[in-house]
Coordinates of all heavy atoms in Angstrom, one line a residue:
M430 N -43.6 -46.9 9.8 CA -42.2 -46.5 10.2 C -41.3 -46.2 9.0 O -41.3 -47.0 8.1 CB -41.6 -47.6 11.1 CG -42.2 -47.8 12.4 SD -41.5 -49.1 13.4 CE -42.7 -50.3 13.1
S431 N -40.7 -45.1 9.1 CA -39.8 -44.7 8.0 C -38.5 -45.5 8.1 O -38.1 -46.0 9.2 CB -39.5 -43.2 8.0 OG -38.7 -42.9 9.2
D432 N -37.7 -45.5 7.0 CA -36.4 -46.2 7.0 C -35.5 -45.5 8.0 O -34.7 -46.1 8.7 CB -35.8 -46.2 5.6 CG -36.5 -47.1 4.7 OD1 -37.3 -48.0 5.1 OD2 -36.3 -47.0 3.5
Q433 N -35.6 -44.2 8.1 CA -34.8 -43.4 9.0 C -35.0 -43.8 10.5 O -34.1 -43.9 11.3 CB -35.0 -41.9 8.8 CG -34.0 -41.0 9.6 CD -34.3 -39.5 9.4 OE1 -35.2 -39.1 8.6 NE2 -33.5 -38.7 10.0
A434 N -36.3 -43.9 10.8 CA -36.7 -44.3 12.2 C -36.2 -45.7 12.5 O -35.7 -45.9 13.6 CB -38.2 -44.1 12.4
V435 N -36.4 -46.6 11.6 CA -36.0 -48.0 11.8 C -34.5 -48.0 12.0 O -34.0 -48.7 12.9 CB -36.4 -48.9 10.7 CG1 -35.8 -50.3 10.8 CG2 -38.0 -49.0 10.7
A436 N -33.7 -47.3 11.2 CA -32.3 -47.2 11.3 C -31.8 -46.7 12.7 O -30.9 -47.2 13.4 CB -31.7 -46.4 10.2
A437 N -32.5 -45.6 13.2 CA -32.2 -45.0 14.5 C -32.5 -46.0 15.6 O -31.7 -46.2 16.6 CB -32.9 -43.7 14.7
Y438 N -33.6 -46.7 15.5 CA -34.0 -47.7 16.4 C -33.0 -48.9 16.5 O -32.6 -49.4 17.5 CB -35.4 -48.2 16.1 CG -35.9 -49.4 16.9 CD1 -36.5 -49.2 18.2 CD2 -35.9 -50.7 16.4 CE1 -37.0 -50.3 18.9 CE2 -36.3 -51.8 17.2 CZ -36.9 -51.6 18.4 OH -37.3 -52.6 19.1
D439 N -32.6 -49.3 15.3 CA -31.6 -50.4 15.2 C -30.3 -50.0 15.9 O -29.7 -50.9 16.5 CB -31.3 -50.8 13.7 CG -32.5 -51.5 13.1 OD1 -33.4 -52.0 13.8 OD2 -32.5 -51.6 11.8
V440 N -29.9 -48.8 15.8 CA -28.7 -48.3 16.5 C -28.8 -48.5 18.0 O -28.0 -49.0 18.7 CB -28.3 -46.9 16.1 CG1 -27.2 -46.3 17.0 CG2 -27.9 -46.8 14.7
V441 N -30.0 -48.0 18.5 CA -30.2 -48.1 19.9 C -30.3 -49.6 20.4 O -29.6 -50.0 21.4 CB -31.6 -47.5 20.3 CG1 -32.0 -47.7 21.8 CG2 -31.5 -46.0 20.1
A442 N -31.0 -50.5 19.6 CA -31.0 -51.9 19.9 C -29.6 -52.5 20.0 O -29.3 -53.3 20.9 CB -31.9 -52.6 18.9
A443 N -28.8 -52.2 19.0 CA -27.5 -52.8 18.9 C -26.6 -52.4 20.1 O -25.9 -53.2 20.6 CB -26.8 -52.4 17.6
E444 N -26.8 -51.1 20.5 CA -26.0 -50.6 21.6 C -26.3 -51.3 22.9 O -25.5 -51.4 23.8 CB -26.2 -49.1 21.8 CG -25.5 -48.3 20.7 CD -25.8 -46.8 20.8 OE1 -26.5 -46.3 21.7 OE2 -25.2 -46.0 19.9
L445 N -27.5 -51.8 23.0 CA -28.0 -52.4 24.3 C -27.8 -53.9 24.3 O -28.1 -54.6 25.4 CB -29.4 -52.0 24.6 CG -29.7 -50.5 24.8 CD1 -31.2 -50.3 25.0 CD2 -28.9 -50.0 26.0
E446 N -27.5 -54.5 23.2 CA -27.4 -56.0 23.1 C -26.4 -56.6 24.2 O -26.7 -57.6 24.8 CB -26.9 -56.4 21.7 CG -28.0 -56.4 20.7 CD -27.6 -56.8 19.3 OE1 -26.3 -57.1 19.1 OE2 -28.4 -56.8 18.4
S447 N -25.3 -55.9 24.4 CA -24.3 -56.4 25.4 C -24.8 -56.4 26.8 O -24.3 -57.1 27.7 CB -23.0 -55.6 25.3 OG -23.2 -54.3 25.7
A448 N -25.9 -55.6 27.1 CA -26.5 -55.6 28.4 C -27.6 -56.6 28.5 O -28.3 -56.6 29.5 CB -27.1 -54.2 28.7
G449 N -27.8 -57.5 27.5 CA -28.8 -58.5 27.6 C -30.1 -58.1 27.0 O -31.1 -58.8 27.2
V450 N -30.2 -57.0 26.3 CA -31.5 -56.5 25.8 C -31.7 -57.3 24.4 O -30.8 -57.4 23.6 CB -31.4 -55.0 25.5 CG1 -32.7 -54.5 24.8 CG2 -31.3 -54.3 26.9
V451 N -32.9 -57.7 24.3 CA -33.3 -58.4 23.0 C -34.5 -57.8 22.4 O -35.3 -57.0 23.1 CB -33.7 -59.9 23.3 CG1 -32.4 -60.7 23.9 CG2 -34.8 -60.1 24.3
R452 N -34.7 -58.0 21.2 CA -35.8 -57.5 20.4 C -37.1 -58.4 20.6 O -36.9 -59.6 20.7 CB -35.5 -57.4 18.9 CG -34.4 -56.4 18.6 CD -34.0 -56.5 17.2 NE -32.8 -55.8 16.9 CZ -32.8 -54.7 16.1 NH1 -33.8 -54.3 15.6 NH2 -31.6 -54.0 16.0
G453 N -38.2 -57.7 20.7 CA -39.5 -58.5 20.8 C -40.6 -57.7 20.2 O -40.4 -56.8 19.4
S454 N -41.8 -58.0 20.7 CA -43.0 -57.3 20.3 C -44.0 -57.0 21.4 O -44.1 -57.8 22.4 CB -43.7 -58.2 19.3 OG -44.9 -57.5 18.8
M455 N -44.6 -55.8 21.4 CA -45.5 -55.4 22.5 C -46.6 -54.6 21.7 O -46.4 -53.7 21.0 CB -44.9 -54.5 23.5 CG -45.9 -53.9 24.5 SD -45.1 -52.8 25.7 CE -44.9 -51.3 24.7
F456 N -47.9 -55.0 21.9 CA -49.0 -54.4 21.2 C -48.8 -54.4 19.7 O -49.2 -53.5 19.0 CB -49.3 -53.0 21.7 CG -49.5 -52.8 23.2 CD1 -48.7 -51.9 23.9 CD2 -50.4 -53.5 23.8 CE1 -48.8 -51.7 25.2 CE2 -50.6 -53.3 25.2 CZ -49.8 -52.4 25.9
G457 N -48.1 -55.4 19.2 CA -47.8 -55.5 17.8 C -46.8 -54.6 17.3 O -46.5 -54.5 16.1
M458 N -46.1 -53.9 18.2 CA -45.0 -53.0 17.7 C -43.7 -53.6 18.2 O -43.6 -54.3 19.1 CB -45.2 -51.6 18.3 CG -45.0 -51.5 19.8 SD -45.3 -49.8 20.4 CE -44.3 -49.9 21.9
P459 N -42.6 -53.2 17.4 CA -41.3 -53.7 17.8 C -40.9 -53.1 19.2 O -41.2 -51.9 19.5 CB -40.3 -53.1 16.8 CG -41.2 -52.7 15.6 CD -42.6 -52.4 16.2
C460 N -40.3 -53.9 20.0 CA -39.9 -53.4 21.3 C -38.5 -54.0 21.8 O -38.0 -55.0 21.1 CB -40.9 -53.7 22.4 SG -41.1 -55.4 22.9
L461 N -38.0 -53.5 22.8 CA -36.8 -53.9 23.4 C -37.1 -54.4 24.8 O -37.8 -53.8 25.6 CB -35.7 -52.8 23.5 CG -35.3 -52.2 22.1 CD1 -34.4 -51.1 22.3 CD2 -34.7 -53.3 21.2
K462 N -36.5 -55.6 25.2 CA -36.8 -56.2 26.4 C -35.5 -56.7 27.1 O -34.5 -57.0 26.5 CB -37.6 -57.5 26.2 CG -39.0 -57.4 25.6 CD -39.7 -58.7 25.4 CE -41.0 -58.6 24.8 NZ -41.7 -59.9 24.6
V463 N -35.6 -56.7 28.4 CA -34.5 -57.3 29.3 C -35.3 -58.3 30.1 O -36.2 -57.9 30.8 CB -33.7 -56.2 30.0 CG1 -34.6 -55.5 31.0 CG2 -32.5 -56.9 30.7
G464 N -34.9 -59.5 30.0 CA -35.7 -60.6 30.6 C -37.1 -60.5 30.0 O -37.2 -60.5 28.8
K465 N -38.1 -60.5 30.8 CA -39.5 -60.4 30.2 C -40.0 -59.0 30.3 O -41.2 -58.8 30.0 CB -40.4 -61.4 31.0 CG -40.0 -62.8 30.8 CD -41.0 -63.7 31.4 CE -40.6 -65.2 31.1 NZ -41.7 -66.1 31.4
K466 N -39.2 -58.0 30.7 CA -39.7 -56.7 30.9 C -39.4 -55.8 29.7 O -38.2 -55.8 29.2 CB -39.0 -56.1 32.2 CG -39.4 -56.8 33.4 CD -38.8 -56.2 34.6 CE -39.1 -56.9 35.9 NZ -38.4 -56.3 37.0
V467 N -40.4 -55.1 29.2 CA -40.2 -54.2 28.1 C -39.7 -52.8 28.6 O -40.2 -52.3 29.6 CB -41.6 -54.0 27.4 CG1 -41.4 -53.0 26.2 CG2 -42.1 -55.3 26.8
L468 N -38.7 -52.3 27.9 CA -38.1 -51.0 28.3 C -38.3 -49.9 27.3 O -38.3 -48.7 27.6 CB -36.6 -51.2 28.7 CG -35.7 -51.6 27.6 CD1 -34.8 -50.5 27.1 CD2 -34.8 -52.8 28.1
A469 N -38.5 -50.3 26.0 CA -38.6 -49.3 25.0 C -39.3 -50.0 23.8 O -39.4 -51.2 23.7 CB -37.3 -48.8 24.6
G470 N -39.8 -49.2 22.8 CA -40.4 -49.7 21.6 C -40.5 -48.6 20.6 O -40.2 -47.5 20.8
M471 N -41.0 -49.1 19.4 CA -41.2 -48.2 18.3 C -42.7 -48.0 18.1 O -43.5 -48.9 18.2 CB -40.7 -48.8 17.0 CG -39.2 -48.7 16.8 SD -38.5 -47.0 16.6 CE -39.3 -46.5 15.1
F472 N -43.1 -46.8 17.8 CA -44.5 -46.5 17.6 C -44.5 -45.4 16.4 O -44.2 -44.3 16.7 CB -45.2 -45.9 18.8 CG -46.7 -45.8 18.7 CD1 -47.5 -47.0 18.9 CD2 -47.3 -44.6 18.5 CE1 -48.8 -46.9 18.8 CE2 -48.7 -44.6 18.4 CZ -49.5 -45.7 18.5
G473 N -44.8 -45.8 15.2 CA -44.7 -44.9 14.1 C -43.2 -44.5 14.0 O -42.3 -45.4 14.0
D474 N -43.0 -43.2 13.8 CA -41.6 -42.7 13.7 C -41.1 -42.2 15.0 O -40.2 -41.3 15.1 CB -41.6 -41.6 12.6 CG -41.3 -42.2 11.2 OD1 -41.2 -43.4 11.1 OD2 -41.2 -41.4 10.3
A475 N -41.6 -42.7 16.1 CA -41.2 -42.3 17.5 C -40.7 -43.5 18.2 O -41.1 -44.7 17.9 CB -42.3 -41.6 18.2
M476 N -39.9 -43.3 19.2 CA -39.5 -44.4 20.1 C -40.1 -44.1 21.5 O -40.2 -42.9 21.9 CB -38.0 -44.5 20.2 CG -37.5 -45.8 20.7 SD -35.8 -46.1 20.3 CE -35.6 -47.6 21.3
T477 N -40.6 -45.2 22.1 CA -41.2 -45.1 23.5 C -40.3 -45.6 24.5 O -39.5 -46.5 24.2 CB -42.5 -45.8 23.5 OG1 -42.3 -47.2 23.3 CG2 -43.5 -45.3 22.4
F478 N -40.3 -45.1 25.7 CA -39.5 -45.5 26.8 C -40.2 -45.5 28.1 O -41.0 -44.7 28.4 CB -38.3 -44.5 27.0 CG -37.5 -44.3 25.7 CD1 -37.8 -43.3 24.8 CD2 -36.4 -45.2 25.4 CE1 -37.1 -43.1 23.7 CE2 -35.7 -45.0 24.3 CZ -36.0 -44.0 23.4
K479 N -39.9 -46.6 28.9 CA -40.5 -46.7 30.3 C -39.5 -46.0 31.2 O -38.3 -46.5 31.3 CB -40.7 -48.1 30.6 CG -41.4 -48.3 32.0 CD -41.8 -49.7 32.3 CE -42.5 -49.8 33.6 NZ -42.9 -51.2 33.9
L480 N -39.9 -44.9 31.9 CA -38.9 -44.1 32.6 C -39.4 -43.8 34.0 O -40.6 -43.7 34.2 CB -38.6 -42.8 31.9 CG -38.0 -42.9 30.5 CD1 -38.1 -41.6 29.8 CD2 -36.6 -43.4 30.6
P481 N -38.5 -43.7 35.0 CA -38.9 -43.2 36.3 C -39.3 -41.7 36.2 O -39.0 -41.1 35.2 CB -37.7 -43.5 37.2 CG -36.5 -43.4 36.2 CD -37.1 -43.9 34.9
P482 N -39.9 -41.2 37.3 CA -40.4 -39.8 37.2 C -39.5 -38.7 36.7 O -39.9 -38.0 35.8 CB -40.9 -39.5 38.7 CG -41.2 -40.9 39.2 CD -40.2 -41.8 38.6
E483 N -38.3 -38.6 37.3 CA -37.4 -37.4 36.9 C -37.0 -37.5 35.4 O -37.2 -36.5 34.7 CB -36.2 -37.4 37.8 CG -35.4 -36.1 37.6 CD -34.3 -35.9 38.7 OE1 -34.6 -36.1 39.9 OE2 -33.2 -35.6 38.2
P484 N -36.5 -38.6 35.0 CA -36.1 -38.7 33.5 C -37.3 -38.6 32.6 O -37.3 -38.0 31.5 CB -35.4 -40.0 33.4 CG -35.0 -40.4 34.7 CD -35.9 -39.8 35.7
R485 N -38.5 -39.1 33.1 CA -39.7 -39.0 32.3 C -40.1 -37.5 32.1 O -40.4 -37.1 31.0 CB -40.8 -39.7 32.9 CG -42.1 -39.7 32.1 CD -43.2 -40.6 32.8 NE -44.4 -40.6 32.0 CZ -45.3 -39.6 32.1 NH1 -45.2 -38.6 32.9 NH2 -46.4 -39.7 31.3
E486 N -40.1 -36.7 33.2 CA -40.4 -35.3 33.1 C -39.4 -34.5 32.2 O -39.8 -33.7 31.4 CB -40.5 -34.7 34.5 CG -41.6 -35.2 35.3 CD -43.0 -35.1 34.6 OE1 -43.3 -34.0 34.1 OE2 -43.7 -36.1 34.6
K487 N -38.2 -34.9 32.3 CA -37.1 -34.3 31.4 C -37.4 -34.6 29.9 O -37.4 -33.8 29.1 CB -35.7 -34.8 31.8 CG -34.6 -34.2 31.0 CD -33.3 -34.8 31.5 CE -32.2 -34.4 30.5 NZ -31.0 -35.2 30.8
A488 N -37.8 -35.9 29.7 CA -38.1 -36.3 28.3 C -39.3 -35.6 27.8 O -39.4 -35.2 26.6 CB -38.3 -37.8 28.2
L489 N -40.3 -35.4 28.6 CA -41.6 -34.8 28.2 C -41.4 -33.3 27.8 O -42.2 -32.7 27.1 CB -42.7 -34.9 29.3 CG -43.3 -36.3 29.4 CD1 -44.2 -36.4 30.6 CD2 -44.0 -36.7 28.1
A490 N -40.3 -32.7 28.3 CA -39.9 -31.3 28.0 C -39.3 -31.2 26.6 O -39.2 -30.1 26.1 CB -39.0 -30.7 29.0
L491 N -39.0 -32.3 25.9 CA -38.4 -32.2 24.6 C -39.5 -31.8 23.6 O -40.6 -32.3 23.7 CB -37.8 -33.6 24.2 CG -36.6 -34.1 25.0 CD1 -36.4 -35.6 24.7 CD2 -35.4 -33.3 24.6
P492 N -39.1 -31.1 22.5 CA -40.1 -30.7 21.5 C -40.7 -32.0 20.9 O -40.0 -32.9 20.4 CB -39.3 -30.0 20.5 CG -38.1 -29.4 21.3 CD -37.8 -30.5 22.3
G493 N -42.0 -32.1 20.9 CA -42.7 -33.2 20.2 C -42.9 -34.4 21.1 O -43.7 -35.3 20.7
A494 N -42.3 -34.5 22.3 CA -42.4 -35.6 23.1 C -43.8 -35.5 23.8 O -44.3 -34.4 24.1 CB -41.3 -35.6 24.2
E495 N -44.4 -36.7 24.1 CA -45.7 -36.7 24.8 C -45.8 -38.0 25.5 O -45.1 -39.0 25.3 CB -46.8 -36.6 23.8 CG -46.8 -37.6 22.7 CD -47.8 -37.3 21.6 OE1 -47.6 -36.3 20.9 OE2 -48.8 -38.0 21.5
P496 N -46.8 -38.1 26.5 CA -47.1 -39.3 27.2 C -47.5 -40.4 26.1 O -48.2 -40.0 25.1 CB -48.2 -39.0 28.1 CG -48.1 -37.5 28.3 CD -47.6 -37.0 27.0
F497 N -47.1 -41.6 26.3 CA -47.4 -42.6 25.3 C -48.8 -43.3 25.5 O -49.0 -43.8 26.6 CB -46.3 -43.7 25.3 CG -46.6 -44.9 24.4 CD1 -46.8 -44.6 23.0 CD2 -46.6 -46.2 24.9 CE1 -47.1 -45.7 22.2 CE2 -46.8 -47.2 24.0 CZ -47.1 -47.0 22.7
D498 N -49.6 -43.2 24.5 CA -50.9 -43.9 24.5 C -50.9 -44.8 23.3 O -50.9 -44.3 22.2 CB -52.0 -42.8 24.4 CG -53.4 -43.5 24.3 OD1 -53.5 -44.7 24.2 OD2 -54.4 -42.7 24.3
P499 N -50.9 -46.1 23.5 CA -50.8 -47.0 22.4 C -52.2 -47.2 21.7 O -52.3 -48.1 20.9 CB -50.4 -48.3 23.0 CG -50.9 -48.2 24.4 CD -50.8 -46.8 24.8
G500 N -53.1 -46.3 21.9 CA -54.4 -46.4 21.3 C -55.5 -46.9 22.1 O -56.6 -47.2 21.7
M501 N -55.3 -46.9 23.4 CA -56.3 -47.4 24.4 C -57.2 -46.2 25.0 O -58.0 -46.4 25.8 CB -55.7 -48.1 25.5 CG -55.0 -49.4 25.1 SD -54.3 -50.4 26.4 CE -53.0 -49.3 27.0
G502 N -56.8 -45.0 24.6 CA -57.6 -43.8 25.0 C -57.1 -43.2 26.3 O -57.6 -42.2 26.8
R503 N -56.0 -43.8 26.9 CA -55.4 -43.2 28.0 C -53.9 -43.5 28.0 O -53.5 -44.6 27.7 CB -56.0 -43.6 29.3 CG -55.9 -45.1 29.7 CD -56.6 -45.3 31.0 NE -56.8 -46.6 31.6 CZ -56.1 -47.7 31.4 NH1 -55.1 -47.8 30.6 NH2 -56.4 -48.8 32.1
P504 N -53.0 -42.5 28.3 CA -51.6 -42.7 28.3 C -51.1 -43.7 29.4 O -51.8 -43.8 30.4 CB -51.0 -41.3 28.6 CG -52.1 -40.4 28.3 CD -53.4 -41.1 28.6
M505 N -50.1 -44.5 29.0 CA -49.5 -45.4 30.0 C -48.7 -44.6 31.0 O -47.8 -43.7 30.6 CB -48.7 -46.4 29.2 CG -49.5 -47.3 28.4 SD -48.6 -48.4 27.3 CE -47.9 -49.5 28.5
K506 N -48.9 -44.8 32.3 CA -48.3 -44.0 33.3 C -46.8 -43.7 33.3 O -46.4 -42.6 33.4 CB -48.6 -44.7 34.7 CG -48.2 -44.0 35.9 CD -48.6 -44.9 37.1 CE -47.8 -44.4 38.3 NZ -48.1 -45.3 39.5
E507 N -46.0 -44.6 33.0 CA -44.5 -44.4 33.1 C -43.9 -44.2 31.7 O -42.7 -44.1 31.6 CB -43.9 -45.6 33.8 CG -44.4 -45.8 35.2 CD -43.9 -47.1 35.8 OE1 -44.2 -48.2 35.2 OE2 -43.1 -47.1 36.8
W508 N -44.7 -44.2 30.7 CA -44.1 -44.2 29.3 C -44.2 -42.9 28.7 O -45.1 -42.1 28.8 CB -44.9 -45.2 28.5 CG -44.6 -46.6 28.9 CD1 -45.1 -47.3 29.9 CD2 -43.7 -47.5 28.2 NE1 -44.5 -48.6 29.9 CE2 -43.7 -48.7 28.9 CE3 -42.8 -47.3 27.1 CZ2 -42.9 -49.8 28.5 CZ3 -42.1 -48.4 26.7 CH2 -42.1 -49.6 27.4
V509 N -43.1 -42.6 27.9 CA -43.1 -41.3 27.1 C -42.7 -41.7 25.7 O -42.0 -42.7 25.4 CB -42.0 -40.4 27.7 CG1 -40.6 -40.9 27.7 CG2 -42.1 -39.0 27.0
M510 N -43.2 -40.9 24.7 CA -42.9 -41.1 23.3 C -42.1 -39.9 22.8 O -42.5 -38.8 23.0 CB -44.2 -41.2 22.5 CG -44.1 -41.5 21.1 SD -45.6 -42.0 20.3 CE -46.5 -40.4 20.3
I511 N -40.9 -40.2 22.2 CA -40.0 -39.2 21.8 C -39.9 -39.4 20.2 O -39.6 -40.4 19.7 CB -38.6 -39.4 22.4 CG1 -38.8 -39.2 24.0 CG2 -37.7 -38.3 21.9 CD1 -37.5 -39.5 24.7
P512 N -40.2 -38.3 19.5 CA -40.2 -38.4 18.0 C -38.9 -38.5 17.4 O -37.8 -38.2 18.0 CB -40.9 -37.0 17.6 CG -40.5 -36.1 18.7 CD -40.5 -36.9 20.0
L513 N -38.9 -38.9 16.2 CA -37.7 -39.1 15.4 C -36.8 -37.8 15.3 O -35.6 -37.9 15.4 CB -38.0 -39.6 13.9 CG -36.9 -39.7 13.0 CD1 -35.9 -40.8 13.5 CD2 -37.4 -40.1 11.6
A514 N -37.5 -36.7 15.3 CA -36.7 -35.4 15.3 C -35.8 -35.3 16.5 O -34.8 -34.5 16.4 CB -37.7 -34.2 15.2
Q515 N -36.1 -36.0 17.6 CA -35.2 -36.0 18.8 C -34.4 -37.3 18.9 O -34.0 -37.6 20.0 CB -36.1 -35.8 20.0 CG -37.0 -34.6 20.0 CD -36.2 -33.3 19.9 OE1 -35.1 -33.2 20.4 NE2 -36.7 -32.3 19.2
S516 N -34.2 -38.0 17.8 CA -33.6 -39.4 17.9 C -32.2 -39.3 18.5 O -31.7 -40.4 18.9 CB -33.6 -40.1 16.6 OG -32.8 -39.4 15.6
E517 N -31.5 -38.2 18.5 CA -30.2 -38.1 19.0 C -30.2 -38.4 20.5 O -29.1 -38.8 21.1 CB -29.5 -36.8 18.7 CG -30.0 -35.6 19.5 CD -31.3 -35.0 19.0 OE1 -31.7 -35.4 17.9 OE2 -31.9 -34.1 19.6
V518 N -31.3 -38.3 21.2 CA -31.4 -38.6 22.7 C -31.9 -40.0 22.9 O -32.0 -40.4 24.1 CB -32.2 -37.5 23.4 CG1 -31.6 -36.1 23.3 CG2 -33.7 -37.5 23.0
W519 N -32.4 -40.7 21.9 CA -32.9 -42.0 22.1 C -31.9 -42.9 22.9 O -32.4 -43.6 23.8 CB -33.3 -42.7 20.8 CG -34.5 -42.1 20.2 CD1 -35.3 -41.1 20.6 CD2 -35.1 -42.6 18.9 NE1 -36.4 -40.9 19.7 CE2 -36.3 -41.8 18.7 CE3 -34.8 -43.6 18.0 CZ2 -37.1 -42.0 17.6 CZ3 -35.6 -43.7 16.9 CH2 -36.7 -43.0 16.7
P520 N -30.6 -43.0 22.6 CA -29.7 -43.8 23.3 C -29.7 -43.5 24.8 O -29.7 -44.3 25.7 CB -28.4 -43.6 22.7 CG -28.7 -43.2 21.3 CD -29.9 -42.4 21.4
E521 N -29.7 -42.2 25.1 CA -29.7 -41.7 26.5 C -30.9 -42.2 27.3 O -30.8 -42.8 28.4 CB -29.7 -40.2 26.5 CG -29.9 -39.6 27.9 CD -30.1 -38.1 27.9 OE1 -29.7 -37.4 26.9 OE2 -30.6 -37.5 28.9
Y522 N -32.1 -42.1 26.7 CA -33.3 -42.5 27.3 C -33.5 -44.1 27.3 O -34.0 -44.6 28.3 CB -34.6 -41.8 26.8 CG -34.6 -40.4 27.2 CD1 -34.2 -39.4 26.4 CD2 -34.9 -40.1 28.5 CE1 -34.2 -38.1 26.8 CE2 -34.9 -38.8 29.0 CZ -34.6 -37.8 28.1 OH -34.5 -36.5 28.6
A523 N -32.9 -44.7 26.4 CA -32.9 -46.2 26.4 C -32.0 -46.7 27.5 O -32.4 -47.6 28.2 CB -32.3 -46.7 25.0
A524 N -30.9 -46.0 27.8 CA -30.1 -46.4 28.9 C -30.8 -46.2 30.3 O -30.8 -47.0 31.2 CB -28.8 -45.7 28.9
E525 N -31.5 -45.0 30.4 CA -32.3 -44.7 31.6 C -33.4 -45.8 31.7 O -33.6 -46.3 32.9 CB -33.0 -43.4 31.4 CG -32.0 -42.2 31.5 CD -31.8 -41.7 32.9 OE1 -32.3 -42.3 33.9 OE2 -31.1 -40.6 33.0
A526 N -34.0 -46.2 30.7 CA -35.1 -47.2 30.7 C -34.6 -48.5 31.2 O -35.2 -49.2 32.0 CB -35.8 -47.3 29.4
L527 N -33.4 -48.9 30.6 CA -32.8 -50.2 31.0 C -32.4 -50.2 32.5 O -32.7 -51.2 33.1 CB -31.5 -50.4 30.1 CG -30.7 -51.7 30.5 CD1 -31.6 -52.9 30.4 CD2 -29.5 -51.7 29.6
E528 N -31.9 -49.1 32.9 CA -31.6 -49.0 34.4 C -32.8 -49.2 35.2 O -32.8 -49.9 36.2 CB -30.8 -47.7 34.7 CG -30.4 -47.6 36.1 CD -29.7 -46.3 36.4 OE1 -29.0 -45.8 35.6 OE2 -29.9 -45.8 37.5
Y529 N -33.9 -48.5 34.8 CA -35.1 -48.5 35.6 C -35.8 -49.9 35.5 O -36.2 -50.4 36.6 CB -36.1 -47.4 35.0 CG -37.4 -47.3 35.7 CD1 -37.5 -47.1 37.0 CD2 -38.6 -47.3 34.9 CE1 -38.7 -46.9 37.6 CE2 -39.8 -47.2 35.5 CZ -39.9 -47.0 36.9 OH -41.1 -46.8 37.5
V530 N -35.9 -50.4 34.4 CA -36.6 -51.7 34.2 C -35.8 -52.9 34.8 O -36.3 -53.8 35.3 CB -37.0 -51.9 32.7 CG1 -37.5 -53.3 32.5 CG2 -38.0 -50.9 32.3
G531 N -34.5 -52.7 34.7 CA -33.6 -53.8 35.1 C -33.4 -53.9 36.6 O -32.7 -54.8 37.0
R532 N -34.0 -53.0 37.3 CA -33.8 -53.0 38.8 C -34.5 -54.3 39.4 O -35.5 -54.7 39.0 CB -34.4 -51.8 39.4 CG -33.7 -50.5 39.1 CD -34.3 -49.4 39.8 NE -33.7 -48.1 39.3 CZ -34.2 -47.0 39.4 NH1 -35.3 -46.8 40.0 NH2 -33.6 -45.9 38.8

């Protein structure tokens, strides 16, 4: 993970703290959780988000975005990976993920 990616991730994490989001780990990668549910994480220089169908499809239309596969050989159904080049939208998708996971 580059310093730039970590800094962008830290901004997202800080913005969600007041909503009860805490930092944790999933598959050995940094992640954001609400309660015991993971809503987002870092994977290399990209951020991953657990999203409902409509926001997920919108996210997948971003340049460089793709379904998230943590190395198991198949993408995780509700997860999308958005690259650092699109980090300006990370806060938007983090909020969507929080709303979805927090239901």
Side-chain angles (χ1 to χ4, degrees):
M430 286 181 259
S431 69
D432 290 344
Q433 185 181 4
V435 171
Y438 173 81
D439 287 343
V440 167
V441 172
E444 288 176 358
L445 297 178
E446 283 177 0
S447 64
V450 173
V451 297
R452 295 169 189 248
S454 181
M455 174 181 77
F456 305 126
M458 68 181 205
C460 73
L461 301 176
K462 299 178 180 181
V463 62
K465 294 185 179 195
K466 297 179 180 179
V467 176
L468 61 109
M471 283 294 295
F472 192 78
D474 273 2
M476 197 162 174
T477 64
F478 303 92
K479 184 174 185 177
L480 299 169
E483 190 174 311
R485 183 177 180 276
E486 292 307 313
K487 182 180 167 193
L489 287 171
L491 294 167
E495 59 188 69
F497 176 55
D498 177 354
M501 298 183 295
R503 63 179 175 25
M505 295 173 68
K506 182 178 162 185
E507 300 170 298
W508 288 80
V509 63
M510 184 168 67
I511 301 175
L513 177 60
Q515 304 298 327
S516 63
E517 72 277 355
V518 300
W519 287 2
E521 172 189 341
Y522 287 103
E525 290 270 7
L527 175 59
E528 182 180 325
Y529 181 54
V530 171
R532 291 181 192 163

